[in-house]
Amino acid sequence: MKILIYDDTFEGLLTAIYDGFYSKEPLASIYGKSESNAPLFLGEILEVITDKDKFKKVRYSIINKIDFVALKKIYMVYLSTEKDNAMVIFKYLKIAFKLGHDVHSFLNVCEIRLVDDINRRVTMECHRFEGFIRFNYIDKTFLYSSIEPDNDIVELLGDHFKNRFSREYFIIHDVSREKALIYNGISYEIISMDTDIYQKLKSHKDEYANLWKAYFKSTTIQERTNIKLQCRMMPKRYWKHILET
Amino acid sequence: MDLMDKLKILSNAAKYDVSCSSSGSKRKNSNNGIGDASESGICHSFTPDGRCISLLKILFSNDCVFDCKYCINGSSRDFLRVSFTPDDVCNLTINFYRRNYIEGLFLSSAIIKNPNYTMELLLKTVKKLRLEKNFNGYIHLKAIPGADDHLIQEAGTYVDRMSVNIELPSSHSLKLLAPQKSKDNILKPMGIIKNSIINNNEMKKSIKSTPLFVPGGQSTQLIVGATPESDGKIIKLSENLYNKYSLKRVYYSAYVPVIKDNKLLPDITHPPMLREHRLYQADWLLRYYGFKADELLKNDDDNFDLNFDPKTYWALSNLNEFPTEINKASYEKLLRIPGIGVTSAKKILKIRRVHNLTFEDLKNLRVVLKRAKYFITCSGKYCGDVLFDDVKIKNKLLEQNLPKHNGINPNQLSFFDKPSIEEKTTVSGIIIPKETISSPSIIYSIKKDRPSNIILPETSILRVNDRLTSIHGEF
């Protein structure tokens, strides 16, 4: 039994999967470097060295032997906070290579269903955040927003906001993961950003924020109050960064 | 008066309009502007009443010359009258949009001076927003009944959705509560918009660069519970609107008693929300499930059963069409199973091509089986926990509606309890309770004459077919 440790990148993950497929010993598990829950005594621990060729080979064969949708799905699983997500992907691919592009229909197989569910969860959260992000207009020069999503979705939000605000400068800051998406009017990239910036910009005053809060209050119909429904549609764990709540 | 006060007053006045969808438009960001429409629509926030905020919903003005009895802006009412300027609206929209608070603008208005004057103001505002501010987000505009055709048509080229509210579901009620409005007056702009959309689509087939015309379609709204119309009439009206005017949506708004002391309006304390919910369910059945209005409610005077959703009610009264075999039934048949919707039906179709579905599989796929299990077979196997019989299924379903802690016997029997049921002795000396337990007052029975064999506790069961309850929704 072997345990593989990869370097937290998607390339590293696919390299580990390549090694896993060709190893003679059965795999116990695959872990990312930052995951601290790797068990100690299950077997020999091997660190995977990220290899661009192996990554390309796996990527190429997923697209050719399964399809592009499958690659997209496992990327979503990679971004999710699901426990053991690397092993979920490994098991999925093992079955998917046998089934080919039909794999998406076999939802009765639990490994495939699991990937499908996680995929939906991540996409859903991404869609929610397209709505729940609140920008603060700092000094009338750039837009800043802080979020704490469950999954690592910051990069999925880039295209959406780039289309909308093509002439603005904006930053979407994932406070808990200390990274940010930053757009300069032409293209966007992901950089690391620490929580100090959040602390500094958090208290910035914006006149339209007050107008928005007033609007939020006056548009509520008291006679129909239904807090449970509100919490279902807009979970409380997100409220910290939504200014009107 | 500053912007804050205006916003408070005019958004408060607009909140009873339910439409909030921002879907269906493919408008793209162009001319270096701000915004583009998302086809699926995006909800940006949810108010404590559970409704989503997607658009900035405001009235342009609350200074109305009409005097509708149900409306808080009626001309006979005494309160502060304010109006935005087109610039106010543009600034609010752009600045809210830039901060990602909203998906676009929903602009309605009271009738200022006359319909044409009002429509011109609205048109001026959306034109400014599109042409000067380069705003490409979603705009939902009210078409003002009675305005000139060309104004409505021109407005249509700038906005994503237009709507004309019918509000009251019959011309009689309109006459009574909204004397300045008439049926023809309301339906005319609807007809104009519908024809223009059709023309536009035809033109698009030959000329690709045809500008958009109301790409999100048109919608309307009906108030439920302010007037005595039955659900049957309302749902038939909706069906006609979908068929004849090709509306995208009909919204239902449970009447909120904002106006007190008017003899023409019902005196209620809570809006009839469950009734509104049933109408929405039926509306979905019309649009996505291939149901016809007269299948759901046979007579015009019928109301929906508040205990069962319309599909379950239909299934229970058409039990001869069930059980449906999950592995063989067509898509249309699958959609008719209570509890199975579009998502589940499509999932089933996809999987059964490669795998024979069992009951366990359905559970794992998270198909909602609470109701469905009584109406399906999986490879010939029936999985409900009672016999396939309408009364038995009905009771089981009613039992599910009860709150969990409130099982069949809500109070544990105690030695010290006084007998709550009065007893009487029959001639033959047998002691029986005076009110027989199977008294029909607490029981759902389909036929009045059938002796009921169901025992359910009195607590928290809705009395069924109670006209008063379903119209006024107080329980």
Side-chain angles (χ1 to χ4, degrees):
Chain A
M1 296 287 263
K2 277 204 293 196
I3 296 174
L4 298 180
I5 308 281
Y6 70 99
D7 62 354
D8 287 328
T9 61
F10 190 59
E11 288 84 354
L13 172 65
L14 288 197
T15 313
I17 282 168
Y18 182 93
D19 291 351
F21 261 83
Y22 289 102
S23 89
K24 281 178 189 134
E25 267 180 273
L27 268 190
S29 200
I30 306 175
Y31 285 105
K33 222 177 199 168
S34 63
E35 285 175 276
S36 50
N37 57 347
L40 281 173
F41 304 112
L42 265 178
E44 186 191 354
I45 294 178
L46 284 176
E47 216 162 295
V48 175
I49 301 146
T50 304
D51 183 335
K52 275 268 147 63
D53 285 335
K54 288 180 182 172
F55 160 69
K56 275 184 192 152
K57 267 184 197 164
V58 177
R59 200 182 144 226
Y60 179 81
S61 57
I62 291 173
I63 294 172
N64 276 290
K65 291 190 180 144
I66 312 169
D67 58 5
F68 192 72
V69 180
L71 183 68
K72 224 171 149 183
K73 276 187 182 170
I74 62 170
Y75 190 67
M76 293 293 186
V77 178
Y78 160 73
L79 291 179
S80 77
T81 38
E82 177 76 17
K83 230 173 71 199
D84 290 344
N85 52 2
M87 208 53 198
V88 169
I89 295 171
F90 183 72
K91 283 179 188 160
Y92 173 79
L93 284 179
K94 239 181 164 173
I95 300 169
F97 276 126
K98 277 182 205 148
L99 296 173
H101 64 270
D102 269 344
V103 65
H104 308 296
S105 303
F106 283 86
L107 290 176
N108 55 313
V109 181
C110 64
E111 284 85 3
I112 292 168
R113 193 172 56 237
L114 185 61
V115 166
D116 214 64
D117 288 350
I118 298 169
N119 178 48
R120 200 177 41 243
R121 219 151 49 218
V122 176
T123 328
M124 175 69 189
E125 189 176 40
C126 178
H127 176 76
R128 268 182 168 161
F129 269 89
E130 286 172 4
F132 293 162
I133 280 183
R134 297 282 177 271
F135 285 114
N136 203 337
Y137 204 25
I138 312 277
D139 298 334
K140 304 217 161 175
T141 45
F142 71 97
L143 298 162
Y144 171 83
S145 154
S146 55
I147 52 172
E148 275 176 70
D150 302 340
N151 304 300
D152 191 5
I153 55 165
V154 127
E155 59 193 280
L156 303 175
L157 295 166
D159 283 335
H160 175 80
F161 286 104
K162 188 187 161 193
N163 286 340
R164 292 212 148 182
F165 305 129
S166 53
R167 282 166 64 207
E168 311 281 340
Y169 297 84
F170 63 79
I171 299 172
I172 300 172
H173 186 182
D174 187 336
V175 181
S176 53
R177 290 184 183 79
E178 302 200 340
K179 62 201 278 196
L181 182 138
I182 179 162
Y183 176 74
N184 63 356
I186 301 158
S187 62
Y188 63 87
E189 58 182 301
I190 310 285
I191 56 165
S192 66
M193 189 180 269
D194 53 23
T195 42
D196 292 355
I197 295 174
Y198 165 63
Q199 298 298 344
K200 261 182 227 158
L201 294 177
K202 179 168 77 165
S203 51
H204 196 90
K205 285 277 171 291
D206 190 338
E207 52 169 328
Y208 281 92
N210 292 331
L211 282 169
W212 172 244
K213 279 183 201 158
Y215 172 73
F216 184 78
K217 230 182 230 161
S218 67
T219 200
T220 307
I221 298 179
Q222 290 308 335
E223 288 89 341
R224 297 181 61 118
T225 308
N226 190 348
I227 302 285
K228 230 172 108 189
L229 181 60
Q230 184 195 20
C231 292
R232 192 164 74 220
M233 306 309 285
M234 190 163 73
K236 276 228 163 113
R237 61 179 183 277
Y238 300 145
W239 284 22
K240 189 176 158 197
H241 296 281
I242 297 176
L243 64 103
E244 67 266 22
T245 50
Chain B
M1 174 174 279
D2 68 351
L3 198 56
M4 176 71 102
D5 294 325
K6 279 191 199 174
L7 179 67
K8 272 185 194 161
I9 294 170
L10 291 170
S11 62
N12 184 52
K15 69 182 172 187
Y16 298 104
D17 221 303
V18 263
S19 167
C20 84
S21 86
S22 54
S23 56
S25 179
K26 284 184 199 156
R27 195 178 294 274
K28 285 275 158 286
N29 196 353
S30 57
N31 299 333
N32 265 330
I34 182 169
D36 80 341
S38 155
E39 216 192 337
S40 58
I42 296 173
C43 297
H44 284 256
S45 190
F46 291 85
T47 52
D49 53 26
R51 304 183 310 154
C52 91
I53 302 179
S54 165
L55 306 172
L56 170 65
K57 199 182 290 175
I58 44 175
L59 291 190
F60 189 82
S61 164
N62 62 359
D63 190 4
C64 199
V65 291
F66 283 11
D67 192 17
C68 304
K69 302 282 181 296
Y70 55 82
C71 177
I72 51 169
N73 297 320
S75 61
S76 62
R77 246 162 274 292
D78 178 28
F79 63 96
L80 192 60
R81 306 283 175 170
V82 287
S83 297
F84 279 124
T85 62
D87 277 320
D88 286 342
V89 177
C90 290
N91 279 339
L92 271 177
T93 312
I94 294 281
N95 278 302
F96 276 9
Y97 193 87
R98 179 183 282 141
R99 287 161 180 80
N100 203 39
Y101 299 160
I102 52 167
E103 196 57 24
L105 173 68
F106 176 110
L107 190 59
S108 176
S109 181
I111 314 285
I112 323 161
K113 289 182 192 165
N114 59 54
N116 268 342
Y117 181 78
T118 316
M119 198 65 214
E120 268 165 21
L121 271 175
L122 295 184
L123 178 60
K124 197 175 151 199
T125 310
V126 292
K127 242 171 140 171
K128 192 168 193 136
L129 206 47
R130 285 277 192 241
L131 302 178
E132 272 178 43
K133 309 273 177 180
N134 277 330
F135 177 71
N136 295 306
Y138 197 91
I139 299 181
H140 179 152
L141 189 71
K142 280 263 124 81
I144 305 293
D148 279 350
D149 299 4
H150 72 92
L151 285 175
I152 289 173
Q153 249 159 354
E154 194 186 346
T157 56
Y158 296 106
V159 302
D160 298 277
R161 174 170 280 188
M162 278 185 110
S163 59
V164 192
N165 280 2
I166 295 181
E167 304 291 13
L168 300 172
S170 76
S171 40
H172 174 73
S173 302
L174 269 179
K175 215 173 276 164
L176 209 63
L177 294 180
Q180 285 105 326
K181 292 184 182 172
S182 74
K183 191 181 142 208
D184 299 330
N185 219 334
I186 293 168
L187 292 180
K188 197 178 141 226
M190 270 189 178
I192 296 170
I193 298 168
K194 177 208 159 199
N195 291 333
S196 305
I197 292 177
I198 294 174
N199 286 343
N200 192 263
N201 287 344
E202 282 301 313
M203 213 147 93
K204 200 158 240 172
K205 278 176 197 159
S206 43
I207 310 166
K208 235 189 159 185
S209 60
T210 313
L212 296 170
F213 185 88
V214 196
Q218 59 171 333
S219 63
T220 191
Q221 166 175 317
L222 300 169
I223 298 179
V224 178
T227 48
E229 280 85 12
S230 65
D231 291 349
K233 268 197 192 121
I234 293 175
I235 207 72
K236 275 207 182 120
L237 175 64
S238 305
E239 191 181 39
N240 277 328
L241 288 170
Y242 286 130
N243 293 341
K244 287 192 188 140
Y245 290 91
S246 23
L247 289 197
K248 270 273 154 67
R249 282 289 296 273
V250 175
Y251 290 93
Y252 307 92
S253 158
Y255 169 67
V256 182
V258 276
I259 310 294
K260 312 276 188 240
D261 317 321
N262 189 323
K263 278 183 200 120
L264 293 169
L265 291 167
D267 182 26
I268 57 173
T269 50
H270 296 290
M273 293 191 13
L274 186 56
R275 185 176 172 209
E276 180 199 276
H277 179 57
R278 290 283 177 254
L279 277 167
Y280 272 118
Q281 288 177 319
D283 188 80
W284 247 259
L285 294 181
L286 295 182
R287 286 185 297 138
Y288 294 111
Y289 292 73
F291 277 89
K292 297 265 177 320
D294 52 3
E295 279 180 297
L296 297 171
L297 286 176
K298 293 213 171 58
N299 302 315
D300 272 4
D301 297 334
D302 289 349
N303 283 313
F304 286 113
D305 193 326
L306 294 180
N307 284 315
F308 300 105
D309 63 88
K311 208 208 279 186
T312 309
Y313 187 77
W314 174 84
L316 284 169
S317 38
N318 291 284
L319 213 58
N320 54 327
E321 305 208 9
F322 292 97
T324 308
E325 169 56 48
I326 286 290
N327 285 305
K328 287 197 180 122
S330 64
Y331 178 64
E332 289 75 24
K333 278 248 164 180
L334 286 176
L335 280 183
R336 297 207 157 211
I337 303 166
I340 290 188
V342 175
T343 316
S344 298
K346 284 195 173 144
K347 241 191 228 168
I348 290 169
L349 284 188
K350 191 162 130 191
I351 298 163
R352 73 182 187 188
R353 284 193 300 127
V354 295
H355 176 77
N356 205 22
L357 285 162
T358 64
F359 194 67
E360 281 304 308
D361 286 333
L362 293 180
K363 251 189 206 163
N364 289 333
L365 291 168
R366 290 197 305 272
V367 173
V368 183
L369 292 167
K370 208 170 98 184
R371 276 152 287 150
K373 65 180 171 193
Y374 301 109
F375 300 96
I376 57 170
T377 57
C378 301
S379 312
K381 201 172 157 230
Y382 179 67
C383 306
D385 47 7
V386 287
L387 284 178
F388 190 67
D389 170 76
D390 55 345
V391 180
K392 287 196 175 122
I393 294 175
K394 226 169 237 178
N395 284 324
K396 268 284 173 195
L397 289 172
L398 275 177
E399 225 172 82
Q400 287 173 352
N401 285 345
L402 298 175
K404 284 226 171 67
H405 58 272
N406 198 349
I408 275 299
N409 189 355
N411 306 315
Q412 190 169 4
L413 286 178
S414 160
F415 186 73
F416 305 104
D417 278 349
K418 283 182 185 162
S420 56
I421 306 164
E422 281 182 61
E423 292 167 349
K424 68 172 181 184
T425 315
T426 56
V427 199
S428 51
I430 301 166
I431 302 169
I432 55 162
K434 216 173 196 172
E435 289 264 326
T436 29
I437 298 177
S438 55
S439 131
S441 73
I442 55 164
I443 282 159
Y444 187 86
S445 64
I446 332 111
K447 283 180 195 156
K448 290 263 158 60
D449 53 357
R450 185 190 289 199
S452 205
N453 47 356
I454 314 141
I455 302 171
L456 282 171
E458 189 156 13
T459 45
S460 71
I461 292 200
L462 307 172
R463 261 163 301 153
V464 184
N465 284 342
D466 187 340
R467 270 293 145 71
L468 266 167
T469 333
S470 64
I471 285 177
H472 301 307
E474 292 204 30
F475 50 85

